[in-house]
Amino acid sequence: MKFGVVIFPSKNLQDFANSYRKRYDPHYDLIPPHLTLLNAFDATEEDAREFAERLQQISRNANPFTLKTAKISSFHPVNNAIYLKVEPVEELLKLHAEIKKEFSEHRSDYAFVPHITIGQKLSNDEHSDVYGALRMTKINHEEAIDRFHLLYQLENGSWTVYETFRLGKE
Amino acid sequence: MKFGVVIFPSKNLQDFANSYRKRYDPHYDLIPPHLTLLNAFDATEEDAREFAERLQQISRNANPFTLKTAKISSFHPVNNAIYLKVEPVEELLKLHAEIKKEFSEHRSDYAFVPHITIGQKLSNDEHSDVYGALRMTKINHEEAIDRFHLLYQLENGSWTVYETFRLGKE
């Protein structure tokens, strides 16, 4: 089965992202809007407990931080995903680096670009239209992030939370 | 916004429930299969932190337990929901009672019948057909439950996990 590690932003930011995801993201029904800290990787259900312990340890030594978004960006031409760009503040980069190091056997080849996807798997024409309309939009938003989550995927592709980790907490 | 408190069973049991929910439960896309400990209630986003503290306290004094299912049942004629009946073991009843007491201002008028919904909002004919086919099915399943979750609802009706609580843990 697949596991992943994500941050869920506030309800307001999730509602905002969903207003686009509803039309432009085929994963809309499978997972709430999120910032991915560790991409999906395969492991067994029995591994969940140990993963949680490792993430708990990381979380204790991490700090809450301010999530800031300023604009909408795109991964085109690598892929046709459109996202809310999240400022790579030091605490977030450190949290990601610690998780990446601890789960190095499951590492991804992508560089870490903190983001919240609002559209993906778009055709080139759709991508041009949507990104063209959104690229100049200013999204000046800040919010406090004090937790992240370990998730696993069900057979239907949807994700369930296994455990929550509070940043800087025992 | 709405909050709720649930247990997510194992991936296997969720996959089993989803094989029915896909056809028979209009909430299929909104939340993974779950056992409700506290029905949806209204509060503000700022209340989440305090709710989490209260649930954390309850969780510390609770114990992991074995979730046992034996059969499929129905709430008909109260409503046309079909569910996996979960054995009302002492630890589960105690956990529910503690949450109900702590959140007494949000109490529900329903008696607590531990269950995992697999179909709901069915027409009378659908209900008769589906329940007729399933009522004699034996589901002899046991699994360990060691956590529960506080969730909140987004504007599109879907649910996001706010925090996880480990039974019997600090």
Side-chain angles (χ1 to χ4, degrees):
Chain A
M1 66 198 265
K2 283 205 189 304
F3 290 88
V5 182
V6 308
I7 289 167
F8 294 129
S10 67
K11 174 177 180 294
N12 273 350
L13 201 55
Q14 289 185 67
D15 288 337
F16 175 81
N18 270 340
S19 69
Y20 296 103
R21 294 178 80 224
K22 183 172 186 169
R23 282 172 292 174
Y24 304 125
D25 187 350
H27 294 179
Y28 173 68
D29 284 334
L30 301 178
I31 187 168
H34 59 279
L35 186 160
T36 301
L37 288 171
L38 186 65
N39 282 325
F41 63 92
D42 270 309
T44 68
E45 190 158 12
E46 291 68 40
D47 292 326
R49 194 175 293 264
E50 190 216 323
F51 292 158
E53 277 169 24
R54 288 151 76 178
L55 291 168
Q56 184 66 55
Q57 193 62 43
I58 290 169
S59 187
R60 273 187 201 123
N61 297 319
N63 291 310
F65 65 91
T66 301
L67 180 152
K68 294 180 193 173
T69 63
K71 65 168 191 162
I72 288 171
S73 195
S74 165
F75 286 123
H76 183 84
V78 175
N79 63 55
N80 286 350
I82 297 172
Y83 58 90
L84 267 173
K85 190 169 165 57
V86 172
E87 200 172 293
V89 294
E90 190 186 335
E91 295 92 336
L92 173 56
L93 294 181
K94 182 163 172 274
L95 176 61
H96 171 262
E98 290 294 325
I99 295 172
K100 188 176 171 180
K101 191 172 71 180
E102 185 63 44
F103 290 79
S104 56
E105 71 273 29
H106 305 293
R107 75 189 179 80
S108 139
D109 291 332
Y110 289 102
F112 180 53
V113 179
H115 70 281
I116 296 165
T117 298
I118 61 171
Q120 60 185 322
K121 302 188 179 176
L122 301 168
S123 71
N124 284 332
D125 283 353
E126 274 180 315
H127 176 270
S128 292
D129 286 354
V130 178
Y131 187 47
L134 293 178
R135 63 186 302 168
M136 301 306 281
T137 312
K138 289 263 175 269
I139 319 271
N140 289 314
H141 173 85
E142 289 193 11
E143 64 181 53
I145 297 292
D146 65 355
R147 63 194 62 221
F148 63 98
H149 308 268
L150 171 64
L151 283 66
Y152 57 92
Q153 193 172 33
L154 302 184
E155 290 307 309
N156 69 355
S158 69
W159 292 83
T160 299
V161 168
Y162 181 76
E163 191 157 333
T164 305
F165 309 97
R166 298 272 301 275
L167 297 166
K169 283 264 178 178
E170 280 304 306
Chain B
M1 67 199 265
K2 283 204 189 305
F3 290 87
V5 181
V6 308
I7 289 167
F8 294 129
S10 67
K11 174 176 181 295
N12 274 350
L13 200 56
Q14 289 186 66
D15 287 337
F16 175 81
N18 270 340
S19 68
Y20 296 103
R21 294 179 79 224
K22 183 172 186 169
R23 281 171 293 172
Y24 304 125
D25 187 349
H27 294 179
Y28 173 69
D29 284 334
L30 302 178
I31 186 168
H34 59 279
L35 187 160
T36 301
L37 288 170
L38 186 65
N39 281 324
F41 63 92
D42 270 310
T44 69
E45 191 159 12
E46 292 68 38
D47 293 325
R49 192 174 295 264
E50 190 217 321
F51 293 158
E53 277 169 24
R54 288 152 76 177
L55 291 168
Q56 183 67 54
Q57 193 63 41
I58 290 169
S59 187
R60 275 187 198 124
N61 297 317
N63 292 309
F65 65 91
T66 302
L67 179 153
K68 294 180 194 172
T69 63
K71 65 168 192 163
I72 289 171
S73 194
S74 164
F75 286 123
H76 183 85
V78 175
N79 63 56
N80 286 350
I82 297 172
Y83 58 91
L84 267 173
K85 190 169 165 57
V86 172
E87 201 172 293
V89 295
E90 191 186 332
E91 294 92 336
L92 173 56
L93 294 181
K94 183 164 172 274
L95 176 61
H96 170 262
E98 290 294 325
I99 294 173
K100 188 176 170 180
K101 191 171 71 180
E102 186 62 48
F103 289 80
S104 57
E105 70 276 28
H106 305 294
R107 76 189 178 80
S108 138
D109 291 331
Y110 289 103
F112 181 53
V113 179
H115 70 278
I116 297 165
T117 298
I118 61 171
Q120 61 185 322
K121 302 187 179 176
L122 301 168
S123 71
N124 284 331
D125 283 355
E126 273 180 314
H127 176 271
S128 291
D129 285 356
V130 177
Y131 187 47
L134 293 179
R135 63 187 301 168
M136 301 306 282
T137 313
K138 289 264 174 267
I139 320 272
N140 288 313
H141 173 85
E142 290 192 10
E143 63 181 54
I145 297 292
D146 64 356
R147 65 194 62 219
F148 63 97
H149 307 268
L150 171 64
L151 284 67
Y152 57 92
Q153 192 172 33
L154 303 184
E155 290 306 310
N156 69 355
S158 69
W159 292 83
T160 299
V161 169
Y162 181 76
E163 190 156 334
T164 305
F165 309 96
R166 298 271 301 276
L167 296 167
K169 284 262 179 181
E170 279 305 307

